[in-house]
Amino acid sequence: MALLVFLGLVAAVGLWLVGVYNGLVNLRQRSRQAFSDIAVQLKQRHDLVPNLVETVKGYATHEKTTLEDVIRARNAAVAASGPNAQGAAEGALTGALSRLIALSEAYPDLKANQNFQELQGELADIENKIAAARRFLNNTVAEYNATREGFPGFLIAQRFGFEPMDYFNLDAAEQKAIEAAPKVQF
């Protein structure tokens, strides 16, 4: 009888460990998937940037520095890897794109160009999707890290090498832009 109780306890502990382990694996996979979803959105943005630059180039030939900054930032963003490096590079690209979009104010023909307006609309749509994907990734990473660091997760995480995951953070320029009060013009 005692042997059956002992075997029952061992089986219960074994099932509990398998459940915790599988929970950590599930959260890690969701975090990786969320990061891949961001990568898909960023790829669309990277593909859109050359078209936007070419459209602006036709109207704003004197803005060579701004156009070169955008292309340089885009290439750096394409080459970046990992959430931290990619977040910083994407922040630089966002700043360069903001300056590019601001050029349309100085060139009324560019601002009225339908191709430019469509590209600008696509860019805004992609930026919204990136923001949503970042929120999902950061929520998933927070859940994973909390499970990994909490009890009993840390017992399994340390034993089986579940490393902490990084958030997709904003760089200083993006953070400053978010915290700034919006300008309203009538």
Side-chain angles (χ1 to χ4, degrees):
M1 179 69 175
L3 180 62
L4 287 176
V5 171
F6 176 74
L7 290 176
L9 285 174
V10 169
V13 169
L15 289 173
W16 175 72
L17 289 174
V18 168
V20 171
Y21 180 85
N22 286 342
L24 284 168
V25 169
N26 183 30
L27 289 171
R28 184 174 58 190
Q29 289 302 325
R30 283 183 31 205
S31 297
R32 289 177 178 164
Q33 178 191 1
F35 188 73
S36 294
D37 290 345
I38 290 175
V40 169
Q41 299 300 325
L42 294 177
K43 171 86 169 84
Q44 287 180 342
R45 180 164 83 163
H46 298 162
D47 291 345
L48 181 67
V49 168
N51 293 334
L52 192 60
V53 167
E54 286 302 317
T55 301
V56 172
K57 202 182 275 184
Y59 291 91
T61 55
H62 303 321
E63 305 292 346
K64 186 177 179 183
T65 304
T66 302
L67 299 174
E68 289 172 352
D69 288 348
V70 170
I71 293 299
R72 190 177 313 113
R74 181 223 178 242
N75 292 340
V78 168
S81 64
N84 291 333
Q86 203 161 19
E90 292 299 330
L93 179 57
T94 298
L97 284 172
S98 295
R99 290 190 298 277
L100 182 69
I101 298 299
L103 280 180
S104 66
E105 297 299 324
Y107 298 92
D109 290 343
L110 171 62
K111 191 175 181 180
N113 180 287
Q114 185 170 353
N115 192 23
F116 179 76
Q117 289 176 346
E118 287 175 12
L119 290 170
Q120 193 175 12
E122 283 182 48
L123 186 61
D125 184 47
I126 290 172
E127 295 294 334
N128 289 335
K129 289 177 181 174
I130 290 170
R134 281 181 175 173
R135 283 191 301 273
F136 181 74
L137 171 66
N138 288 340
N139 287 337
T140 304
V141 168
E143 186 178 354
Y144 167 78
N145 285 339
T147 302
R148 185 192 156 279
E149 294 171 8
F151 182 81
F154 79 92
L155 296 172
I156 303 297
Q158 288 178 345
R159 184 97 173 134
F160 293 101
F162 286 90
E163 298 297 323
M165 300 187 92
D166 293 327
Y167 294 100
F168 202 100
N169 292 319
L170 300 175
D171 72 346
E174 278 185 308
Q175 190 66 38
K176 186 177 177 182
I178 288 170
E179 293 171 356
K183 294 180 181 176
V184 179
Q185 293 179 330
F186 295 102

